[in-house]
Amino acid sequence: MLRTTTSLTGLATAAALVLSLAAPASAATGTLYINRAQYDDPSGCYTSDSPNPFVYNRTDELAIVFLRPDCQGPVTGTVPPNDGQEIVGTSVFIR
C-alpha cells in the first residue's frame, strides 16, 4: 500500500509541474505602435484604421499582421521585435 501511495504522490507532483509549465504566457513586454496608436505591454489583436499600417514593434514578441480586421483572413507578414515596417493588412496580433 505504501508503494502505491508513493507512486500516486509522484504522479500527482509530476502532473502539477506539467500543468504549471503549460500556463498561458503573459503579455509582450514593451510597446507596439500601429500608425500613431501606442500600446504598452500589448496582448491580443489590434485593428488598424489603415489598410497599410506602419507597425513598429518595440516588444519582445513577434507581431503578426492579418489582411482583415479582428485578426481574420490570411497572414500578410510579420514584424520581428525591435523592427518597424509598413505592411499590407488591417490588424495585428501579438502575444
Side-chain angles (χ1 to χ4, degrees), residues 24-71:
S26 61
T29 301
T31 306
L32 177 69
Y33 300 90
I34 304 173
N35 291 332
R36 294 185 178 163
Q38 175 180 328
Y39 306 97
D40 295 320
D41 297 331
S43 178
C45 184
Y46 300 88
T47 298
S48 170
D49 57 358
S50 167
N52 297 330
F54 187 85
V55 178
Y56 189 39
N57 183 8
R58 299 278 302 177
T59 73
D60 58 351
E61 295 287 340
L62 183 70
I64 304 167
V65 181
F66 290 82
L67 183 61
R68 297 195 325 242
D70 302 318
C71 297

Side-chain angles (χ1 to χ4, degrees), residues 65-90:
V65 181
F66 290 82
L67 183 61
R68 297 195 325 242
D70 302 318
C71 297
Q72 299 292 313
V75 172
T76 58
T78 59
V79 182
N82 297 310
D83 193 11
Q85 57 186 294
E86 184 175 2
I87 193 162
V88 173
T90 58

